[in-house]
Amino acid sequence: MASFSTLSIVIPVYNEARTIHEILDRLRELELANGIGKEIILVDDCSRDGSSEAINQYAARFPEMQLRLLRHEVNQGKGAALHTGIRQATGEYVIIQDADLEYDPEEYNLLLKPILKGFADVVYGSRFMGGNPHRILFFWHSIGNKMLTFLSNMFTDLNLTDMETCYKMFRRDIIQGLKLEEKRFGFEPEVTAKVARVPNVRIYEVGISYYGRTYAEGKKIGWRDGFRAIYCILKYGLFRA
């Protein structure tokens, strides 16, 4: 059995003022297994809708959460926001959390299970395995995700079912030891390629729920990001950049 004291939760934020309080409510109410503490790091990637103000107001209402808010003065992309947050993390493990409501923080304990049992260093939460609820949306989007995962697996020699998932939990020394470059949605294939090459790394995958958003509801990733993901799979798979 393994044990640790703090999980760092890194949240990239871009124009999420309308819903950010809801994800923070869920994190405030969340109780992690074994009494693990939460370090919540939000990175506002130059939002223009008052996201930082909404976060500061929430932090003032709930000072016990000790929210850490970082801000980019120029919009750089989700990957860049993650780089900033990951560098600031101090917990023994780090998880990525989107600021929208597509993923449920209560399922952190599912990802923690193989870590606490002493089996895993990295855990991915898969939207395509297990019996958890999934909103039915976008046939071609799901096919694209599966194709990207298949292509990524060809180069990493992993057998993931969901490389593009938001929920990735890393041992902090592993994720902070990677040289990460992708500033937008290329973060997912890049970090997967690079973590797969860490000597003796133990990667697990668990099934999670998915409450997907439509583009009208604020979903941001598009087909151009899919082509960038293919480029990143080839770049970091073939050339080990």
Side-chain angles (χ1 to χ4, degrees), residues 7 25 39 75-76 146 157 186 219 241:
L7 176 68
D25 281 346
E39 175 185 56
N75 180 259
Q76 300 177 48
K146 291 176 182 178
D157 197 28
K219 193 172 186 66

Side-chain angles (χ1 to χ4, degrees), residues 83 174-182 190-191 194 236 241:
H83 300 169
I174 290 177
I175 188 65
Q176 289 184 340
L178 301 179
K179 180 183 178 183
L180 298 171
E181 304 169 33
E182 293 298 316
E190 179 192 10
V191 76
K194 291 183 175 179
Y236 300 109

